[in-house]
Amino acid sequence: MDIQHLKYFVEVARQRNFTKASQILLVSQPSISKMIKSLEDELKVTLLDRSERQIKLTDAGAVVYEQAIKILQSVEDVYDSVNELVQVKKGTIKLGLMPTTGVLLFPNVLAGFKKEYPQIDFQMVEYSAKQLAIKVEQGDLDLGITVLPVNPKLFDAIPLLSEELVVLAHNEHWLAERESVRLSELKNESFILLTEDYALHDVVKQACMQSGFQPTVAFKSSLWDLIGEMVTAKLGISLIPWSMVSRFNHRNVHAISISDPLIEWELVLIYRKNKYLSFAARTFIEYIRLHMF
């Protein structure tokens, strides 16, 4: 048994298909099949159930898969550790951001960091909060900028920003005459929310339920601008972070504070626990700790 055996086996298990695994690994399908058969012969067990169209792990296969993931991660950590020694103050950080929040929070921070560490580069991608957590957990991203709650068993989280949610309503809506409102007063309103992919969707629904009502959701969207347009069209109200209000200033909308309960939107930097972090990622974490407080 060697690392290559385990690598091929893990990829086939992930893809549940020899052909897809061979395309990802850039290795011929017969070679992969031979490697896995050799592994099965060595362990004297069947690892893959090939009887169905989609390959499944046997009970023994599931055990080997779990251990193989740990072994491959350990090997990757060895290479990363050596690479850190060779390339001090160099590297690439794979950073995930939520749409808009990166623009609101990070330009100055990133500019300052790049000035101090010019040889550390960023690969930045946008995902919803829930997708970001998954990508960080799977190791596709080193760090993620997301919102609470996150699983404390999986992630370490560094607080970045905490702000209140406010109600966004059309200027002709009865709320526009109010400076503040209790959330329970909105039980008969139509809500325009982000889709379930976004943590804010769950935050709003949970707050409404704790205030004694199930919100009536008229529309859902993954686009902030579309939500603003629907509020402008008098199709409902929305709850948004205070920092987002300026985005809608040109529209006929008004922001109203929520007096009870206080609904906080907490932005955090997350990284996976018990996973090796490169010099570059650790340096950025320390930079954030020093400059965000």
Side-chain angles (χ1 to χ4, degrees):
M1 183 191 306
D2 60 26
I3 297 301
Q4 204 75 334
H5 284 85
L6 297 178
K7 183 178 179 181
Y8 289 2
F9 167 67
V10 165
E11 196 58 47
V12 171
R14 280 176 174 165
Q15 303 302 324
R16 298 186 179 183
N17 185 285
F18 278 91
T19 302
K20 289 182 180 178
S22 69
Q23 292 171 347
I24 292 171
L25 294 168
L26 301 177
V27 178
S28 69
Q29 185 173 330
S31 295
I32 295 177
S33 299
K34 184 178 179 180
M35 280 277 197
I36 293 178
K37 184 64 170 63
S38 173
L39 183 60
E40 290 177 322
D41 291 342
E42 181 177 348
L43 295 173
K44 296 181 175 58
V45 292
T46 300
L47 300 176
L48 299 173
D49 181 357
R50 303 166 173 82
S51 62
E52 302 293 336
R53 184 174 181 180
Q54 190 175 60
I55 291 171
K56 296 180 181 178
L57 288 171
T58 64
D59 291 342
V63 172
V64 174
Y65 177 80
E66 182 178 345
Q67 295 301 317
I69 290 292
K70 294 178 181 178
I71 292 169
L72 293 175
Q73 181 63 61
S74 295
V75 172
E76 183 179 336
D77 288 350
V78 170
Y79 281 105
D80 286 343
S81 297
V82 173
N83 185 59
E84 176 183 323
L85 293 176
V86 175
Q87 298 188 25
V88 177
K89 295 189 178 181
K90 294 182 180 179
T92 300
I93 301 171
K94 292 180 286 186
L95 175 66
L97 301 169
M98 293 186 302
T100 304
T101 56
V103 176
L104 292 171
L105 186 64
F106 267 89
N108 292 334
V109 174
L110 289 176
F113 182 81
K114 282 294 290 183
K115 185 177 181 180
E116 193 165 336
Y117 300 97
Q119 296 187 74
I120 294 180
D121 297 320
F122 286 90
Q123 291 179 358
M124 291 184 285
V125 291
E126 284 190 344
Y127 289 105
S128 67
K130 292 181 180 179
Q131 290 174 319
L132 273 175
I134 292 172
K135 293 294 183 181
V136 174
E137 180 185 357
Q138 292 177 341
D140 296 328
L141 295 173
D142 300 315
L143 309 170
I145 308 299
T146 185
V147 292
L148 293 181
V150 296
N151 189 338
K153 294 181 179 179
L154 293 176
F155 306 108
D156 282 318
I158 301 174
L160 299 176
L161 175 69
S162 179
E163 60 181 348
E164 299 176 24
L165 294 188
V166 296
V167 182
L168 191 70
H170 189 273
N171 284 341
E172 296 178 5
H173 194 282
W174 65 269
L175 282 168
E177 299 179 358
R178 301 276 295 273
E179 290 186 3
S180 65
V181 64
R182 295 171 61 91
L183 189 60
S184 58
E185 295 180 71
L186 307 179
K187 63 182 179 180
N188 295 322
E189 296 296 324
S190 295
F191 284 74
I192 302 168
L193 302 181
L194 287 168
T195 62
E196 288 85 352
D197 290 337
Y198 292 80
L200 188 57
H201 174 277
D202 295 348
V203 170
V204 172
K205 291 198 73 172
Q206 184 177 357
C208 291
M209 293 176 70
Q210 289 176 346
S211 293
F213 69 98
Q214 177 80 27
T216 300
V217 182
F219 297 97
K220 300 175 189 176
S221 175
S222 61
L223 303 174
W224 284 108
D225 286 342
L226 183 56
I227 288 175
E229 291 294 346
M230 286 191 283
V231 172
T232 301
K234 304 180 184 179
L235 296 176
I237 63 171
S238 188
L239 268 61
I240 65 172
W242 176 253
S243 60
M244 292 294 296
V245 171
S246 61
R247 188 183 182 101
F248 307 113
N249 280 346
H250 65 288
R251 298 184 173 95
N252 295 320
V253 295
H254 186 73
I256 305 96
S257 297
I258 300 172
S259 59
D260 181 56
L262 175 66
I263 310 173
E264 290 190 317
W265 188 74
E266 298 177 85
L267 204 64
V268 292
L269 174 71
I270 64 169
Y271 51 96
R272 201 177 77 186
K273 286 185 173 180
N274 303 319
K275 179 186 181 298
Y276 174 84
L277 284 173
S278 68
F279 166 84
R282 296 202 310 271
T283 300
F284 185 66
I285 289 170
E286 290 307 310
Y287 186 88
I288 289 294
R289 290 186 191 276
L290 290 172
H291 292 80
M292 292 303 295
F293 296 97

